[in-house]
Amino acid sequence: MEFKTWMCLICGWVYDEAAGLPDEGIPAGTLWADVPMNWTCPECGARKEDFEMVAI
C-alpha cells in the first residue's frame, strides 16, 4: 500500500500516513480517512477539512 501525505492549508503542517502521530494516539500507518473527525492540526488547530492531499 502507498501512504499519502496531507498538508494543512492554513499553516503548511504535513500529516504523513506512514509516520502517523504516535504522541497523539494515532499509530504509524493510520490512513487519513481513519484519523478521527474531531482531530485538529497540532500546529494551528485547523480541522480535517482544512487539509489537502499533497505529493511529497
Side-chain angles (χ1 to χ4, degrees):
M1 173 170 36
E2 191 171 314
F3 291 111
K4 294 183 171 73
T5 50
W6 296 81
M7 185 176 74
C8 178
L9 298 174
I10 309 297
C11 73
W13 185 84
V14 173
Y15 174 75
D16 182 350
E17 293 177 338
L21 272 176
D23 292 348
E24 294 195 19
I26 301 173
T30 300
L31 299 179
W32 183 246
D34 297 328
V35 172
M37 282 307 297
N38 63 350
W39 178 86
T40 57
C41 175
E43 289 293 314
C44 73
R47 297 170 306 198
K48 274 185 74 176
E49 57 261 28
D50 293 321
F51 279 72
E52 185 173 277
M53 200 274 290
V54 292
I56 295 184

